[in-house]
Amino acid sequence: MFKGNFIDNLPKIYGTYTGGFLVFCLLMALLESNGVSAKTIGILFLIFTIAIYALIGVLSRTMQADAYYVAGRQVPTVFNGMATAADWMSGASFVAMAGGIFYGGYTYMAFLVGWTGGYVLVSSLLAPYLRKFGCYTVPDFIGTRYGGKFVRFCAVLVLVLASFTYVTAQINATGTIASRFLGIPFELGVWVGLISILLCSMLGGMRAVTWTQVAQYIVLIIAYLLPIFWLSNKFGFGFFPQFMLGDEVARLGELEKQYGLVKNSAAAVKAAGVPGGLKSLTVSHAGVPEGGMAAWKFISLAICMMVGTASLPHILMRYFTTPSVKSARRSVAWSLFFIFLLYFSAPALATLAKISILDPNLATGIIGKSIADVQAIGWVKEWIAVKQAYIADFNGDGILQLNEWFMRGDVIVLATPEMGGLPYVISGLVAAGGMAAAMSTADGLILAISNALSHDVYYKIIDPKADVAKRLIVARILLVVVGAFGAYIASMRLTSILGSVAWAFDFAMSGLFFPLVLGVWWKRATRQGAIAGMLLGLGAGTAYLIYVAPAFMGNAPWMGIDHLRFGLIGAPICLISMVVVSLMTPAPDAKTQAMVDDVRIPSGKTIL
Amino acid sequence: MANKAEAHWEKTKSLMFLTLAIWFFFSIFIFMFGSSLNNASFLGYPLAYYMCAQGSLAAFVILIFWSSGKQNSIDEEHGYGEDD
């Protein structure tokens, strides 16, 4: 299967795979209608998909450095786009985004703009040039462009900090899904998730991760889109919900007015015994908050996410795997297209879920109904039992008001099929999709960290004479160690100390964005400048984070720059210190300048 | 050689600035006026809601396809095209 003309056969191979997966879903539906229990179906979905990924991982094993680090640089444009999309869309994108929109409405959707707009920066400022450079890792570019071991080490430092913040959340997500659907304790689920993740990446490095990510993208996009189309058509909201929910959005506006968006006092919520993390609806769906500060909060969040996207090493390194500079550029466009398919569906899903709960004219509506009736509904009962939903009858009238319904945001994606009364097989599919999303991102991140440690720290700094076999063994050992450390943090439930996924973007933005961009676009940038930029940018950003984050010092944010946006402090300081120090130090030598000239020309040999 | 490379880089730079200007418009500029934008509607959606739910997202996809095509023709024009 993986010989000679494998690349030419890709469309056929993945076509067959997609067909096979759909047949598997039909088979599960058949089993369900024959009385096989929901639990068994959930287990079969997870085991079948993970087994396929592991098989791909084993078949892609390699002992060549080029294949291990950059998949042999032969991943076709469109397939690299799919792999990047899976790499990009994390468990959070898959599970939490629609819930975020459900509760945050327009304000939350700054994330959507931020997590897509960043790719414009990737394609025009970075990806093609890094591909021309021919590096194995992102610190490899920094280390060679600026010259020196210390500058390389600084880049590794930023990479590890940003990627590790991100990866524990992914391992956490795999653990949650594995424990819920396999019926095992969370602590064990985390390790099951980790083993699945390592099976995909350990033997084949980037090559294996690439081909499993393509397979995971196919599963996750089917799992996300199928319930949305099904629900929308079932309730007659429109054949193509992404474009046809205008009326429903308007209707939500009316319902919000009718019910009133009441904010419960913290004391009342506490007195009613609402479990932590559950929220009631308080923010308008499509309404834009008035005022300059609200607009600034939207824009500043979008900026952080965009610039952060363009600095995240696990994304940038995906564009090292294409056959040419031209295809790297094109591949960014395909990546964003595949990401777009999910992201423009998330608001549709949030709208569908919201209207099916809120609208009293629909059979699925629960607001305004008697609490006793609502509590008897199957999915409500189940989610209340696991403390993911809660009803607090504040006014004691026995009728469910909008402000009396509490739910965790993540429930939206997982429970929507049940809310809409779809068969359980869809819930199993959604679980497999969430698992695919979390696994693919975790694989990309763990590989980015361990490759930087093995290639940049071990090979380039500690032991430059090591042969390929030894380097690849070290790479694998580090892969397991990094993964195990992440799983350990997740299993100890320490993830909350690492805060939000958004922090990863802010760390990357503070330390890496300008050193990368100016490395290509400003010949005058020097080693000392880059070191100053990375250390001061990262230092300032981190210091501000500690100053402002509620988990640490919790001071009042300056100009609305809270802990989700600390990159707005780090990145400008990085830029200023990098420019000032560069201008104070002698210009880079002729050889470096010639290298930068060469990077800017797409054709010809790579530089390394 | 040097002139050829310089001319190529000048054109590449202009394309980059143009791309980033369009990017700025769809990612930042329009959201400065979110609340007034929302009075207009598109496909039945309030406009600002529509733009952050899919309008800007679609604009980014089209923008990257367009600018990568444009960059390819710049490369070919200066003899730096690649065949694959």
Side-chain angles (χ1 to χ4, degrees):
Chain A
M1 184 177 167
F2 276 73
K3 283 196 194 85
N5 52 0
F6 166 65
I7 297 290
D8 299 333
N9 280 325
L10 279 173
K12 225 194 273 173
I13 293 170
Y14 282 105
T16 314
Y17 163 83
T18 311
F21 181 66
L22 291 174
V23 170
F24 174 78
C25 294
L26 286 178
L27 190 70
M28 289 299 110
L30 203 67
L31 287 181
E32 185 182 357
S33 63
N34 280 315
V36 174
S37 77
K39 199 178 164 210
T40 315
I41 288 179
I43 293 174
L44 285 174
F45 256 109
L46 283 190
I47 289 180
F48 175 77
T49 51
I50 292 174
I52 292 274
Y53 309 147
L55 180 70
I56 298 175
V58 173
L59 288 173
S60 315
R61 66 189 176 276
T62 181
M63 271 314 273
Q64 285 167 336
D66 238 27
Y68 187 89
Y69 283 109
V70 287
R73 296 198 204 279
Q74 51 174 349
V75 184
T77 312
V78 179
F79 285 96
N80 193 50
M82 277 195 234
T84 312
D87 199 29
W88 176 245
M89 290 188 286
S90 57
S93 288
F94 190 92
V95 178
M97 184 181 266
I101 301 171
F102 185 99
Y103 281 111
Y106 172 84
T107 320
Y108 180 87
M109 285 196 275
F111 280 114
L112 264 69
V113 176
W115 285 339
T116 51
Y119 281 86
V120 180
L121 302 177
V122 173
S123 89
S124 44
L125 296 176
L126 289 168
Y129 306 102
L130 296 183
R131 172 62 188 85
K132 175 65 197 292
F133 208 84
C135 40
Y136 277 169
T137 65
V138 168
D140 213 7
F141 169 75
I142 300 269
T144 315
R145 159 66 177 84
Y146 296 111
K149 290 180 175 177
F150 186 64
V151 72
R152 187 184 287 269
F153 180 77
C154 295
V156 174
L157 184 75
V158 185
L159 179 150
V160 170
L161 194 58
S163 305
F164 200 78
T165 309
Y166 208 158
V167 80
T168 49
Q170 302 310 315
I171 298 179
N172 198 41
T174 59
T176 309
I177 297 173
S179 69
R180 181 169 306 162
F181 285 88
L182 300 179
I184 52 179
F186 173 78
E187 289 73 13
L188 190 62
V190 165
W191 294 98
V192 170
L194 176 69
I195 290 168
S196 322
I197 291 164
L198 290 180
L199 277 174
C200 299
S201 52
M202 207 175 107
L203 296 173
M206 195 58 169
R207 178 156 91 170
V209 167
T210 302
W211 303 125
T212 46
Q213 280 176 338
V214 175
Q216 285 159 338
Y217 177 76
I218 292 169
V219 168
L220 78 87
I221 200 69
I222 293 176
Y224 206 82
L225 295 184
L226 191 67
I228 298 178
F229 278 96
W230 191 335
L231 273 179
S232 180
N233 283 288
K234 184 177 167 183
F235 291 119
F237 291 139
F239 163 72
F240 209 108
Q242 285 85 344
F243 298 114
M244 300 169 81
L245 294 178
D247 295 345
E248 281 67 28
V249 170
R251 173 91 178 116
L252 281 177
E254 289 167 24
L255 289 169
E256 282 162 6
K257 258 193 215 127
Q258 184 189 324
Y259 295 133
L261 292 165
V262 183
K263 215 171 184 150
N264 301 308
S265 72
V269 170
K270 204 173 165 212
V274 178
L278 308 199
K279 284 184 283 191
S280 67
L281 198 62
T282 55
V283 178
S284 158
H285 189 63
V288 178
E290 294 284 338
M293 191 61 181
W296 162 245
K297 290 208 102 169
F298 186 100
I299 291 166
S300 57
L301 188 60
I303 292 174
C304 285
M305 295 305 117
M306 287 191 285
V307 178
T309 302
S311 339
L312 278 177
H314 75 290
I315 292 302
L316 293 175
M317 76 177 192
R318 283 244 43 103
Y319 300 109
F320 302 167
T321 66
T322 58
S324 67
V325 174
K326 184 169 135 188
S327 53
R329 223 182 270 129
R330 199 82 177 159
S331 190
V332 183
W334 281 108
S335 309
L336 188 57
F337 170 74
F338 289 120
I339 293 166
F340 172 76
L341 287 185
L342 190 143
Y343 279 21
F344 95 127
S345 306
L349 179 56
T351 308
L352 284 172
K354 217 177 209 175
I355 196 105
S356 44
I357 293 182
L358 258 58
D359 195 333
N361 299 334
L362 294 173
T364 49
I366 58 171
I367 307 298
K369 306 257 166 90
S370 107
I371 289 180
D373 287 352
V374 172
Q375 277 170 335
I377 300 173
W379 68 266
V380 175
K381 217 189 297 179
E382 274 171 40
W383 291 99
I384 287 182
V386 288
K387 296 203 168 124
Q388 306 284 313
Y390 193 78
I391 291 174
D393 191 7
F394 290 125
N395 59 6
D397 64 353
I399 302 286
L400 184 59
Q401 311 293 334
L402 187 57
N403 67 324
E404 296 174 346
W405 169 250
F406 293 85
M407 191 169 56
R408 192 185 290 277
D410 296 1
V411 171
I412 298 295
V413 166
L414 298 173
T416 304
E418 299 164 73
M419 285 178 201
L422 301 188
Y424 185 79
V425 66
I426 299 294
S427 302
L429 177 65
V430 170
M435 193 72 176
M439 280 175 70
S440 55
T441 306
D443 261 321
L445 288 162
I446 295 179
L447 197 65
I449 299 173
S450 64
N451 282 1
L453 294 178
S454 68
H455 182 75
D456 295 294
V457 177
Y458 172 72
Y459 175 54
K460 292 284 182 173
I461 297 179
I462 296 174
D463 183 7
K465 290 197 189 79
D467 60 18
V468 174
K470 196 169 168 200
R471 283 160 58 194
L472 291 187
I473 288 170
V474 171
R476 290 181 170 108
I477 293 172
L478 285 166
L479 192 75
V480 175
V481 170
V482 170
F485 188 57
Y488 175 74
I489 301 268
S491 73
M492 299 306 283
R493 298 180 188 266
L494 294 176
T495 37
S496 60
I497 61 161
L498 290 174
S500 157
V501 165
W503 289 8
F505 291 78
D506 289 293
F507 279 130
M509 164 187 184
S510 299
L512 273 177
F513 183 71
F514 287 110
L516 286 172
V517 170
L518 296 182
V520 176
W521 292 87
W522 194 39
K523 272 193 214 169
R524 186 69 179 73
T526 66
R527 175 196 312 148
Q528 293 84 348
I531 292 172
M534 281 190 271
L535 293 182
L536 293 176
L538 187 67
T542 312
Y544 186 78
L545 170 68
I546 292 170
Y547 175 77
V548 83
F552 303 123
M553 287 163 68
N555 289 299
W558 175 67
M559 304 244 313
I561 300 175
D562 61 8
H563 69 109
L564 296 176
R565 298 166 172 83
F566 70 86
L568 280 180
I569 303 289
I573 289 182
C574 174
L575 174 64
I576 294 167
S577 45
M578 189 167 167
V579 170
V580 170
V581 175
S582 286
L583 291 176
M584 278 162 48
T585 44
D589 56 21
K591 212 176 126 215
T592 309
Q593 305 229 14
M595 178 166 76
V596 177
D597 279 330
D598 202 12
V599 167
R600 297 172 175 183
I601 293 168
S603 60
K605 278 200 168 66
T606 58
I607 287 164
L608 286 171
Chain B
M1 174 67 199
N3 284 338
K4 190 176 100 169
E6 250 166 56
H8 170 262
W9 188 242
E10 281 309 313
K11 286 215 167 170
T12 304
K13 268 202 295 202
S14 325
L15 177 64
M16 184 273 280
F17 284 123
L18 178 61
T19 307
L20 292 194
I22 300 171
W23 165 82
F24 180 82
F25 178 80
F26 282 106
S27 62
I28 297 170
F29 185 77
I30 55 172
F31 297 108
M32 292 178 183
F33 311 99
S35 51
S36 26
L37 221 55
N38 233 10
N39 295 326
S41 77
F42 182 76
L43 291 177
Y45 295 95
L47 189 54
Y49 173 86
Y50 179 81
M51 288 314 285
C52 65
Q54 47 182 268
S56 287
L57 280 57
F60 298 142
V61 175
I62 297 165
L63 176 60
I64 301 180
F65 272 110
W66 171 81
S67 80
S68 75
K70 203 82 184 158
Q71 182 68 49
N72 284 345
S73 43
I74 293 176
D75 295 348
E76 269 157 32
E77 189 188 316
H78 292 84
Y80 294 134
E82 301 167 284
D83 31 44
D84 60 355

